[in-house]
Amino acid sequence: MAKDKKGRGPKPTNITVMKLVANAGGRCQFSGCNKQLFIDSITMEDLNNTNVAHIVASSLDGPRGNEESFELSDKLENLMLLCQEHHKLIDERPNEYTVEILKEMKNSQEEEVKKLLDEMHYPETKVVVFESPIKNKIKAKVDFKKACEAIRESEKKSDSRYPLTINLECEEYDYNSNEFWKSIEGKLERIFSKKIEEVYIDYPSSILSIFPIAPIPLIAKFGNLLGDKKTIDIYQKTREPDTWKWLSKEKTNDFKVEKVKIGNGKKVAIVLSLTAEINFERITSVLEDIGIIYHLKAERNSVDCIKSLEDLKNFGQKFLSICDEIKNIDKEEEVFLFPAMPVSAAFEIGRRHMRGAHPIIHIYDENNGFIKTITIGG
């Protein structure tokens, strides 16, 4: 390409300028400036304040011009993105702002931009939607768009435009019957084997993000099937606001454990009063021969008793300490669980349970009185 009438080399292409702007993050590359170049600092209106400056001038007699001026004129490595003020400054003082100094400014700024952007990389996660009618009556539906909003809040992104969906129904049996729970548990195990285990076979390092709307015992069972050896994120739906995002990043609640001797029976029960208070009479009316009740209560007893992962962690630690005491101090091999708790707590119970190390857990659910449902660890 020939020189222009003023002896300058070729202009950089639009693509080259776009690359320069991207590498600079749209900021002035003069050391210490960092001015945003696409917005007016006073009016905050959008505009283009960029100056594409040459490190080695595009002509021999320009600032820092030399025998390579023509060859380097349109090369990305020879260009800097500057504000008007600093473009004028470096060209008026070429002896002070040498080629070496400007290259160092450019390279240092671009490395810093790259580092910041790399840290913003969102790892991919597989969104797992778990739906099952509540009490076998109320249909469950997870909004995939809101699920994706929640994982972005957790600095991840969905690996697909569609979730992996587990939808469980069992219309042929009554919710309170043993047949219902045996059938629905079997369906969950079969679907888990077909869908989830195949994910880990094909992609062993997969991250799963779980969005459940289902009966509490099924969510606990699902957590138990997944276990705690993989990277798994659990999310919890709230009504106000209507979101799957965690409402806080801090601890917002606390949980207390009380060990209560009921009678001379041999059975041990755990009562979880998190979303609502459970009266012990409701337990003794369906479970005979109780000797001890471990009562785990939330200080703030409500549907939003767990607002953050810190709350969930706190609850999980308290629950595992109960399991350890029942197994190692009370020397009991099984426990009967009566929960009033959010879905994240149910998932945590199942996921953290260790067969052999913890007692077998018989889970009850409330449906016009407590009914026995699923057993974990048996």
Side-chain angles (χ1 to χ4, degrees), residues 28-40:
C28 176
Q29 293 185 296
F30 189 89
S31 181
C33 180
N34 199 39
K35 183 178 181 180
Q36 296 185 60
L37 299 179
F38 288 93
I39 189 170
D40 185 81

Side-chain angles (χ1 to χ4, degrees), residues 314-347:
N314 186 17
F315 161 77
Q317 289 172 343
K318 296 289 176 63
F319 183 81
L320 289 181
S321 69
I322 294 174
C323 291
D324 289 338
E325 184 167 339
I326 292 171
K327 180 77 173 183
N328 300 313
I329 296 178
D330 298 329
K331 304 297 182 181
E332 292 295 327
E333 297 295 327
E334 60 181 358
V335 66
F336 301 83
L337 179 69
F338 296 83
M341 61 181 174
V343 298
S344 60
F347 186 83

Side-chain angles (χ1 to χ4, degrees), residues 150-169:
I151 62 174
R152 284 199 297 273
E153 186 83 4
S154 301
E155 299 185 349
K156 296 183 178 69
K157 61 182 179 181
S158 175
D159 69 347
S160 172
R161 294 176 60 189
Y162 306 99
L164 189 161
T165 301
I166 296 176
N167 192 294
L168 287 180
E169 294 190 12

Side-chain angles (χ1 to χ4, degrees), residues 66-129:
N66 58 36
E67 64 278 2
E68 294 184 298
S69 288
F70 180 79
E71 181 182 350
L72 294 174
S73 182
D74 60 349
K75 299 297 185 291
L76 180 62
E77 63 269 21
N78 189 50
L79 303 175
M80 291 184 72
L81 194 70
L82 298 174
C83 64
Q84 185 176 1
E85 177 184 358
H86 288 115
H87 190 181
K88 185 173 185 292
L89 176 66
I90 67 168
D91 283 356
E92 286 183 349
R93 302 181 185 179
N95 293 330
E96 180 178 350
Y97 296 104
T98 64
V99 170
E100 290 74 21
I101 288 174
L102 295 182
K103 282 185 176 180
E104 174 62 25
M105 285 187 185
K106 171 185 172 70
N107 293 337
S108 295
Q109 194 266 356
E110 290 180 358
E111 286 177 8
E112 188 65 23
V113 169
K114 183 178 184 301
K115 178 182 176 182
L116 291 171
L117 292 177
D118 285 346
E119 290 178 353
M120 291 175 61
H121 169 69
Y122 285 6
E124 290 188 340
T125 180
K126 183 168 291 296
V127 175
V128 179
V129 167

Side-chain angles (χ1 to χ4, degrees), residues 158-199:
S158 175
D159 69 347
S160 172
R161 294 176 60 189
Y162 306 99
L164 189 161
T165 301
I166 296 176
N167 192 294
L168 287 180
E169 294 190 12
C170 182
E171 297 179 349
E172 59 268 34
Y173 297 115
D174 180 74
Y175 187 80
N176 285 19
S177 68
N178 292 332
E179 289 82 4
F180 173 87
W181 290 102
K182 184 177 180 180
S183 175
I184 202 82
E185 183 178 11
K187 288 181 179 181
L188 176 57
E189 290 173 343
R190 289 190 294 273
I191 293 175
F192 182 89
S193 177
K194 182 178 180 180
K195 290 190 174 184
I196 303 298
E197 288 182 352
E198 285 187 0
V199 169

